[in-house]
Amino acid sequence: MAVKSAKHTELGAFLRSRRERIRPEDVGLVRGPRRRVPGLRRDEVAQLAGASVDYYNELERGAGSQPSEQMLAALARALRLTADERDHLYHLADRPVPVQGGLSSHVHPGMLDLLTRLTSTPAQVITDLHATLVQNPLAVALLGDQSGFHGQEASFIHRWFTDPGARRIYPEEDHPTQSRALAADLRAAAARRDARDTEASSLIATLLHRSPEFAELWAEHDVAFRRNDRKRLIHPALGVLDVNCLHLFSEDGRQRLLWFTPAVGTDSADKLDLLAVIATQQLTDHGN
């Protein structure tokens, strides 16, 4: 117990030191005129990590329970930790450092910084297997909150080929094009991974077993990363939006920053303006 207590104390001190070095504007927050503390406040870190203020306070005091791997990943992103700092955080919490590419993957601070600065357009960071790691409020308003999926279901490719409900976001006539693009992208991503990697091979095996459509496309051996797409998205309140989906790849290809811009010659710019209103309302409702 003494070792655990000492580690919890060090964990709290480490979180506090990382919190105090970050300026609010670095993470998209407004610096008020009466700010009395250096860096972020505890409640701001809790908000960014999706935790309760009481829970985060307990962590900093070294009195909290052992945080989950999902919470550690959220804290690492909220505090813009480097890869070494993220690993240290997991060690202090007595949690195994996650393998890069999964849902607890470390998002590079530079990519998070870009996401934070994309305040007027939907944007999110996904893995190479299309599992969403983090979304800005506009992406949540456009695509829905994708933080509740776990395991293979976290991959949009998995949901696309196994859950008909996942396809409602695209017009039905666009489904064949999307299926082909996703299968080709998965082949490219899987080939780029280490031969000993099991995450991608397990996903492919599941899809081959569960989806005849995927099996047929996989047998064609098409390979192509998705980079710049023109697509139509169905929003429950705004109808069909014509958007360009742009991809920025990390150096190792394991993560991508996606952002959506209105297609020229359509009314999607006006609809994205309305989307901002919806996003604001969702944040207000969540806060209440």
Side-chain angles (χ1 to χ4, degrees), residues 125-148:
V125 179
I126 68 172
T127 71
D128 57 342
L129 302 184
H130 290 245
T132 300
L133 298 176
V134 60
Q135 298 173 282
N136 70 6
L138 282 171
V140 173
L142 177 64
L143 305 170
D145 185 353
Q146 299 178 17
S147 62

Side-chain angles (χ1 to χ4, degrees), residues 5 7-16 19 42 45-46 49 51-68 71-72 74-75 79 89 92-93:
S5 177
K7 274 202 168 185
H8 277 208
T9 300
E10 189 175 352
L11 173 64
F14 181 66
L15 289 172
R16 183 169 59 254
R19 169 174 62 83
R42 290 187 182 92
V45 176
S52 71
V53 177
D54 289 342
Y55 177 78
Y56 182 75
N57 285 341
E58 289 293 300
L59 284 181
E60 276 209 8
R61 286 199 292 265
S65 59
Q66 183 187 33
S68 67
M71 178 52 61
L72 292 172
L75 288 170
L79 295 170
L89 179 67
L92 291 178

Side-chain angles (χ1 to χ4, degrees), residues 10-217:
E10 189 175 352
L11 173 64
F14 181 66
L15 289 172
R16 183 169 59 254
S17 72
R18 300 305 89 182
R19 169 174 62 83
E20 291 177 347
R21 70 177 182 168
I22 299 177
R23 300 176 303 169
E25 52 268 31
D26 292 337
V27 292
L29 300 175
V30 178
R31 177 185 291 273
R34 298 182 180 180
R35 182 173 292 270
R36 298 176 181 176
V37 297
L40 298 178
R41 298 191 301 264
R42 290 187 182 92
D43 64 294
E44 291 171 331
V45 176
Q47 175 190 341
L48 291 168
S52 71
V53 177
D54 289 342
Y55 177 78
Y56 182 75
N57 285 341
E58 289 293 300
L59 284 181
E60 276 209 8
R61 286 199 292 265
S65 59
Q66 183 187 33
S68 67
E69 294 178 32
Q70 291 80 7
M71 178 52 61
L72 292 172
L75 288 170
R77 294 164 193 162
L79 295 170
R80 301 298 193 264
L81 300 187
T82 66
D84 291 337
E85 290 170 336
R86 189 285 306 262
D87 292 353
H88 183 61
L89 179 67
Y90 275 78
H91 289 314
L92 291 178
D94 284 325
R95 294 289 189 184
V97 176
V99 177
Q100 186 66 5
L103 287 179
S104 297
S105 293
H106 175 65
V107 182
H108 191 281
M111 192 168 282
L112 274 176
D113 181 58
L114 282 173
L115 180 69
T116 300
R117 296 175 188 277
L118 291 171
T119 57
S120 61
T121 189
Q124 59 186 22
V125 179
I126 68 172
T127 71
D128 57 342
L129 302 184
H130 290 245
T132 300
L133 298 176
V134 60
Q135 298 173 282
N136 70 6
L138 282 171
V140 173
L142 177 64
L143 305 170
D145 185 353
Q146 299 178 17
S147 62
F149 297 104
H150 304 286
Q152 288 188 343
E153 287 189 357
S155 166
F156 181 69
I157 300 178
H158 179 278
R159 300 198 303 275
W160 179 265
F161 286 106
T162 62
D163 178 9
R167 301 194 172 200
R168 294 176 189 151
I169 195 171
Y170 290 103
E172 186 173 355
E173 58 269 28
D174 295 348
H175 290 182
T177 299
Q178 295 302 325
S179 294
R180 184 172 296 278
L182 287 170
D185 187 274
L186 177 56
R187 184 177 290 279
R192 193 167 183 170
R193 288 194 171 207
D194 187 278
R196 294 167 295 180
D197 174 85
T198 59
E199 187 181 24
S201 59
S202 177
L203 174 61
I204 293 166
T206 297
L207 293 177
L208 287 172
H209 175 70
R210 295 188 57 183
S211 171
E213 179 192 18
F214 177 81
E216 182 178 341
L217 291 170

